[in-house]
């Protein structure tokens, strides 16, 4: 754990959360008179991102006070970060072609593996359940839209 990296990261993500909140106000509200409009999801994500960033900042502050120099800092893993960043860009580019479920499953499985998951089977099960679960909840229950399965599958 690198305390300085975590502190800078928490401030960066708090700013990203504030940007989400500010930009969500530019999205038009629902045309049907509903209280829940398209701006609620980015607004909620921004609030959650800010709260988690503040928590990380607080934890790094507490850890810095308790053990300022007693334990060695773990090295930053730039290579792993760059691989996951490249996978994220690839995920965004292939989302329409592969569909949400397939693209999310592949991305999550890769990310879990890169982060050091010991069991590929458990990672695959969690990735599949999460991808299908989010798709079912968002598309079928909330009546939202996500890219479905690709046409070349014939399903």
């Amino acid at each position: 754990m690198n305390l300085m990296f975590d502190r800078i990261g928490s401030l960066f993500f708090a700013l990203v959360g504030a940007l989400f909140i500010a930009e969500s106000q530019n999205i038009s509200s629902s045309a049907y008179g509903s209280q829940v409009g398209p701006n609620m999801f980015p607004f909620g994500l921004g609030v959650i991102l800010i709260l988690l960033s503040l928590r990380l900042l607080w934890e790094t502050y507490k850890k810095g006070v308790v053990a300022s120099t007693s334990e060695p800092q773990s090295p930053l893993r730039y290579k792993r970060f760059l691989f996951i960043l490249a996978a994220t860009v690839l995920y965004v580019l292939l989302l329409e072609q592969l569909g949400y479920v397939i693209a999310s499953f592949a991305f999550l499985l890769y990310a879990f593996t890169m982060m050091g998951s010991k069991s590929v089977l458990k990672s695959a099960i969690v990735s599949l359940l999460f991808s299908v679960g989010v798709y079912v909840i968002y598309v079928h229950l909330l009546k939202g839209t996500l890219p479905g399965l690709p046409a070349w599958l014939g399903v």
Side-chain angles (χ1 to χ4, degrees):
M1 178 178 192
N2 189 315
L3 294 178
M4 183 58 75
F5 183 79
D6 286 346
R7 286 182 185 137
I8 293 170
S10 69
L11 294 174
F12 172 76
F13 285 116
L15 290 173
V16 170
L19 182 65
F20 268 47
I21 291 172
E23 289 300 317
S24 73
Q25 302 306 310
N26 295 333
I27 299 174
S28 64
S29 60
S30 179
Y32 302 111
S34 172
Q35 295 296 328
V36 179
N39 60 346
M40 291 301 290
F41 187 67
F43 182 82
L45 283 178
V47 170
I48 290 170
L49 192 56
I50 289 174
L51 292 175
L52 291 174
S53 298
L54 292 175
R55 168 118 190 228
L56 178 61
L57 187 63
W58 175 253
E59 287 180 8
T60 57
Y61 174 74
K62 279 191 342 188
K63 188 163 181 90
V65 169
V66 172
S68 56
T69 58
S70 62
E71 62 185 54
Q73 299 283 324
S74 63
L76 295 176
R77 294 179 175 90
Y78 291 113
K79 187 176 180 182
R80 183 185 302 179
F81 171 75
L82 291 175
F83 279 139
I84 291 178
L85 180 65
T88 304
V89 171
L90 191 63
Y91 170 71
V92 169
L93 294 174
L94 294 176
L95 185 63
E96 290 289 328
Q97 289 81 14
L98 295 178
Y100 176 80
V101 174
I102 295 172
S104 296
F105 168 75
F107 171 73
L108 288 173
L109 182 60
Y110 179 77
F112 290 155
T113 305
M114 283 300 295
M115 291 190 310
S117 176
K118 302 281 188 258
S119 172
V120 176
L121 180 63
K122 286 181 184 177
S123 296
I125 291 170
V126 170
S127 300
L128 183 66
L129 289 175
F130 183 81
S131 300
V132 171
V134 167
Y135 186 82
V136 167
I137 290 171
Y138 189 74
V139 172
H140 295 291
L141 295 178
L142 299 175
K143 304 295 183 205
T145 57
L146 285 173
L149 293 173
W152 50 265
L153 274 180
V155 180

